[in-house]
Amino acid sequence: MNKLPILGAAIFAALSCSVQAKVEDLFKSTCASCHGETLTGGMAGSLVDKEWLTKGTDEALSNAIKQGIAKAGMPAFGGVLSDEEVRTLVVYIREAGAKIEQQKAPESQLGKEFKTKHHTVSTQEILTTDGIVWALDFLPDNSLLYTLREGQLWHFSKEGKKTLIKGTPEVWHNRQGGLLDVYPDPDYQSNGWIYLSFSQPAGKNEAGDEIAFTKIVRGKIKDGTWVEQQTLFEAKPQNRKNRGWHFGSRFAIQGDYLFFTNGDEGHQNDAQDITTQNGKIHRIFKDGSIPKDNPFYNEKGAQKTIWTYGNRNPQGLTINPTNGQLWSTEHGPRGGDELNLVSKGVNYGWPKVTFGMNYNGTPITEHTELPGMQSPIHHWTPSIAVAGINFYSGTQFKHWQGDLFVGSLAKKELHRLRIEDNKVVEDEIILKGLGRIRDVITAPNGNIYLTINDRDKNQSKIIAITQ
Ligand code: HEC
């Protein structure tokens, strides 16, 4: 009997060990006395000065924290802090540095000419609408299709006439769910198919929460009405459990293949489980049948549509028209947004490997790489919230040809990446501050079209970057 209190104390100790420190608290209690609460210095130097913003690598930062700098009076924390805690501190220092850079960068203005590294450009408003425009694309006659997340598909003619398409599927408009991507078939002219992704309601789970899943369909528009719909993909009934997060989903089409992304749906460990649809990029034929040479086609119990796994929430997907490579952007947690080159059967590591930490500042893992898991080509720490992507294929902007444009939600930026030998050699912010950039495409006339969302006003614009 008298052993109980000791056992209790042991359990308490074990419990308190497993409670992870939030990085804000960790920094305050361990570092702020010397480096200042805002990281800008005090008794010791600033952690966000020029040297660290531009030159310091993540590795150098983490080594300084672990090993200390004895000569200068920086204590070594390697024995006190775990590797994953050190990783959260590195992300935290990066966030503070980015905040300072952010304050310095000028905001863009609609309609005003501005200079970028390779081109002087302007922006032009194409349309404004209530709601969140999630995706847009052109039809061969130069008219536009766009989705509103609340569940509407719109057509916008060359002459500027907006038409709501009747009869599109009912969607589950909740949290991040709703009507998502729209993508006309590259052979639209001859076959008329249009692909849609959306969250489909699936009743309630055992706890009584409403749930949904990512559904993929195609259909045609005849006389302003959605017709001939075919279901191409649905989660298996036992795997329907999304309460509102990380649905994906973007399309890319190559030949007869349709690729689409399905985020981890808020169940991060499923990303490593090849029997479920979430946390994956999928490949099917355009009619919904499954290619027999998919990487897990012959694996018992596997979700046969899987093309890659270990993905968190990819919301950008595109094919490089010059060489056929498939690329994706993927939202990291807090830090660690990724650009990935997507290849058959590859494990992209989530959540075993990431450059980020949890939103509340607790660690996810110390690992930024592991054998058998593919590291990103490029990552953004702190996160910019990467969304739609597109390789510029127009002729209007000569010096941007082949560059990858990346929309950012949280930082409201449009990035231009130059990629050489599968490495990012330039990452330039082209636009900033106009709104949350969710999708980007090359227009037939060579301009770049973007959808920007204003979450507070529940409004969106489609704008063009013009010469
Ligand atoms: C006792 C005071 C003290 C504490 C506590 C302390 N540092 Fe330092 N730290 C220093 C000094 C002194 C340097 C040497 C260079 C300077 O003054 O910036 C330094 C340097 C660094 C550097 C190298 C950057 C540079 O400017 O050379 C990093 C990174 C760093 N500290 C991070 C941390 C973190 C993270 C913590 C908390 C886990 C921490 N430090 C806690 C005193 C401290």
Side-chain angles (χ1 to χ4, degrees), residues 205 211 239-243 245-246 263-272 276 278-279 350-351:
N205 64 15
I211 47 169
N239 293 332
R240 298 176 180 175
K241 53 181 170 183
N242 194 336
R243 291 180 296 131
W245 293 280
H246 303 179
D264 69 9
E265 306 188 12
H267 298 275
Q268 59 182 42
N269 293 331
D270 286 0
Q272 291 295 321
T276 69
N278 49 335
W350 174 252

Side-chain angles (χ1 to χ4, degrees), residues 198-216:
F198 58 96
S199 10
Q200 163 83 37
K204 289 187 174 168
N205 64 15
E206 278 172 11
D209 308 309
E210 273 190 49
I211 47 169
F213 60 91
T214 305
K215 180 165 169 170
I216 310 294

